[in-house]
Amino acid sequence: MSKIAELMLQEATQLLTTQAVDAVLAWRRGEMGYDPAPAFFRQAEELTDLVYNEFCGSNLSKYLLAASQKGERVAVFLKPCDTYSLNQLLQDGRVQRELVTVIGIPCGGMLDIKQIKDQGIKGVKTVTVAAGQVTLVTAYGTKVVPQAAVLLRKCTACKGNEYKIADLELGDKLPVPPGTDRFAQVRALEQMTAAQRFSFWQKELSKCIRCNACRDICPACSCEQCIFDNPQAAVAGKANANSAEEQMFHIIRAFHVAGRCTDCGECARVCPQGIPLDLLNRKFILDINEIYGEYQAGATSDAKAPLLKFDPADAESTIVSQRRG
Amino acid sequence: MLDSSEQETKTFEPLIVAFCCNWCSYAGADMAGTARKAYPANVKIIKVPCSCRVNPTFILRAFQKGADGVIIAGCHPGDCHYTSGNYYTRRRLTLLMSMLDFLGVDKERLRLEWVSAAEGNKFAEVMTDFVATITTLGANVKLRDLRCQK
């Protein structure tokens, strides 16, 4: 990882000093080693803060939206899964391709600091990943944990190490982390009774504090004006008739990106309440795959999303609904 | 002597919101009227230019405001006034019904039907059937918003 970070620094310095771009979009060092944050670097001198490590899970694609509107030429570092989101933004016509320099950077799976802390590991200083094991040097000594136990939730369903769009690729591709079936939890829920599902979502969605983080982070949510920013919309939340009912916000949020969601998992990653929001998106993806054919949003920048097209021979809604019991 | 739950179902009158497209189903409702085909008065019709004008938000909002069932009626596939609007509606509603089911809400509360301008009979039949289904399901509690109760 540190090798890649060096290559990134070299590339970024060159791009900024030659003024080939107005800004470099990457991660800035945080207070601790495990809290890097997305940042625009506009001066070569600022680049000392550029960092790339196992905690750079955030997807930088969405930040290109604002830059593209301002007409800024930006060089962005994208991990393989992030390139799907950029493709989707290009497909939606939200980012100007000619303003963006895409630099692909390898990723072997990002780590979740919360899960590391949950295992009772404190004072993390440095992290190294090798052969499925994570070695954590902490203030209290060295700890070794299996990578699968501390991976970010979204990285347990890795999309692979191929870049779907890149002008330049840095470093060698890294092995894909151990994966699980991304639809396993959706299918498990489908097997439950309606009452069980309702109580599952009651429990999860009643945790929601409507911070809008899931909306703000979502690279597919790219409207300039959002229905939820209108205080008159009234569809945002819902006053519960009994103590725990689900809120409408999440149905609308998930529906709005149905067919355009690349399953980047950012919504679930940023949720401060730990709601598995990606399940709603994955349900739509699974339905689309089953009813309208396999589709991976963002695999190319010129495909048409399944809800933006149709086939006269599509099944009738009611029939699909009845057959599925 | 009826027990309280039985009494409740006997007196329960569902509120049904029907989004009808201007070109086929709304005219179909007119046809039902001129042909003097009776259908339950529980159905409140909202005219929309095309069935694909119905944003899923409209449906959820109707449920929030106290609808017990929502039905979307449009031109038959292939007959859309705008040539293809109803095909998009079909895809969207298939997914929305599935999502409601996934959240544990009765998916029968949402229905999509194709009713042409000539099908007054079908309009009355569909509405009668839908009202009967919703009456059996009872009041929509899971999607109703307390703030909307006045």
Side-chain angles (χ1 to χ4, degrees):
Chain A
M1 279 294 202
S2 57
K3 232 185 195 172
I4 301 158
E6 266 172 47
L7 288 172
M8 285 165 65
L9 184 61
Q10 278 174 18
E11 194 60 41
T13 314
Q14 209 215 331
L15 284 165
L16 281 179
T17 47
T18 58
Q19 295 189 323
V21 295
D22 300 321
V24 168
L25 178 50
W27 294 269
R28 178 175 279 145
R29 200 182 309 282
E31 297 273 310
M32 326 296 279
Y34 49 75
D35 56 353
F40 281 100
F41 297 89
R42 291 190 171 82
Q43 310 288 332
E45 300 81 69
E46 294 173 11
L47 288 169
T48 43
D49 277 342
L50 187 143
V51 67
Y52 184 58
N53 60 28
E54 282 78 6
F55 297 103
C56 292
S58 49
N59 180 348
L60 300 180
S61 306
K62 185 163 190 184
Y63 300 90
L64 292 170
L65 212 67
S68 219
Q69 279 166 354
K70 281 189 270 178
E72 262 189 323
R73 291 168 305 154
V74 177
V76 61
F77 291 103
L78 295 182
K79 304 186 291 293
C81 61
D82 303 340
T83 59
Y84 287 81
S85 305
L86 176 58
N87 261 344
Q88 188 57 46
L89 284 167
L90 291 170
Q91 192 181 315
D92 294 342
R94 307 293 281 130
V95 168
Q96 298 180 55
R97 180 67 182 94
E98 58 279 12
L99 293 178
V100 184
T101 309
V102 186
I103 306 165
I105 46 170
C107 168
M110 289 293 168
L111 306 182
D112 186 354
I113 187 63
K114 190 170 172 295
Q115 291 200 50
I116 292 174
K117 284 181 177 170
D118 284 351
Q119 301 215 355
I121 301 168
K122 288 177 195 161
V124 176
K125 286 179 169 170
T126 61
V127 176
T128 37
V129 182
Q133 296 291 322
V134 181
T135 312
L136 299 136
V137 178
T138 73
Y140 308 97
T142 307
K143 299 260 167 65
V144 179
V145 286
Q147 191 190 10
V150 289
L151 270 179
L152 271 181
R153 181 182 160 88
K154 65 175 188 173
C155 296
T156 58
C158 182
K159 289 194 183 62
N161 54 15
E162 295 292 329
Y163 305 103
K164 293 293 167 181
I165 182 169
D167 297 316
L168 180 73
E169 293 175 21
L170 295 182
D172 299 324
K173 290 193 171 74
L174 292 172
V176 173
T180 49
D181 173 16
R182 63 178 175 147
F183 295 123
Q185 222 181 330
V186 176
R187 291 210 172 91
L189 272 164
E190 283 176 346
Q191 296 305 314
M192 293 180 185
T193 65
Q196 284 171 323
R197 278 197 296 269
F198 189 71
S199 68
F200 171 84
W201 286 111
Q202 260 186 340
K203 195 173 128 265
E204 292 297 339
L205 297 181
S206 56
K207 290 191 234 162
C208 177
I209 53 171
R210 282 308 311 285
C211 66
N212 281 341
C214 49
R215 176 199 70 173
D216 293 346
I217 200 78
C218 177
C221 264
S222 55
C223 299
E224 280 170 43
Q225 278 191 324
C226 176
I227 182 174
F228 298 122
D229 288 335
N230 175 4
Q232 303 298 320
V235 283
K238 168 175 177 306
N240 295 337
N242 61 44
S243 60
E245 281 168 359
E246 104 285 359
Q247 302 191 1
M248 302 250 177
F249 168 70
H250 294 287
I251 310 178
I252 299 170
R253 185 196 63 78
F255 196 96
H256 199 186
V257 298
R260 298 185 301 119
C261 169
T262 64
D263 195 13
C264 75
E266 286 287 272
C267 45
R269 183 183 69 84
V270 297
C271 181
Q273 299 292 85
I275 306 172
L277 293 170
D278 49 0
L279 288 181
L280 295 174
N281 299 321
R282 283 178 179 169
K283 168 67 179 165
F284 278 129
I285 295 172
L286 185 62
D287 277 349
I288 287 169
N289 285 351
E290 284 179 355
I291 306 170
Y292 304 120
E294 290 282 325
Y295 179 78
Q296 170 62 55
T300 62
S301 59
D302 52 8
K304 212 164 188 193
L307 285 185
L308 299 180
K309 60 181 183 187
F310 63 87
D311 180 344
D314 280 339
E316 289 298 331
S317 308
T318 317
I319 293 174
V320 172
S321 173
Q322 280 164 358
R323 283 203 188 137
R324 302 181 133 207
Chain B
M1 191 61 190
L2 294 166
D3 68 40
S4 62
S5 66
E6 253 178 283
Q7 233 162 6
E8 227 168 52
T9 44
K10 281 267 187 284
T11 53
F12 172 64
E13 286 292 338
L15 175 65
I16 308 290
V17 173
F19 289 100
C20 292
C21 97
N22 182 33
W23 305 99
C24 289
S25 307
Y26 194 80
D30 258 356
M31 179 59 86
T34 38
R36 297 186 175 262
K37 292 285 169 192
Y39 62 91
N42 309 59
V43 181
K44 312 288 179 231
I45 296 177
I46 297 176
K47 184 161 80 170
V48 285
C50 177
S51 57
C52 85
R53 174 67 186 91
V54 181
N55 183 326
T57 311
F58 296 177
I59 299 167
L60 295 176
R61 185 69 178 138
F63 281 127
Q64 261 186 317
K65 293 196 91 168
D68 299 302
V70 175
I71 181 163
I72 289 96
C75 307
H76 283 267
D79 287 347
C80 178
H81 185 77
Y82 306 101
T83 66
S84 55
N86 51 7
Y87 290 125
Y88 295 101
T89 315
R90 189 161 63 179
R91 283 205 167 189
R92 281 180 213 157
L93 283 221
T94 305
L95 292 185
L96 187 63
M97 280 178 198
S98 177
M99 179 49 77
L100 288 183
D101 187 43
F102 189 62
L103 291 162
V105 177
D106 322 295
K107 59 184 173 186
E108 294 85 1
R109 292 188 187 279
L110 178 59
R111 196 181 281 191
L112 173 64
E113 288 286 348
W114 311 126
V115 180
S116 83
E119 293 176 323
N121 270 342
K122 184 179 178 185
F123 187 89
E125 275 165 27
V126 162
M127 293 305 163
T128 313
D129 180 60
F130 190 51
V131 170
T133 310
I134 303 300
T135 311
T136 340
L137 281 176
N140 150 39
V141 191
K142 289 174 177 171
L143 289 168
R144 182 166 294 176
D145 190 334
L146 268 192
R147 290 170 305 177
C148 298
Q149 285 179 3
K150 285 194 184 112

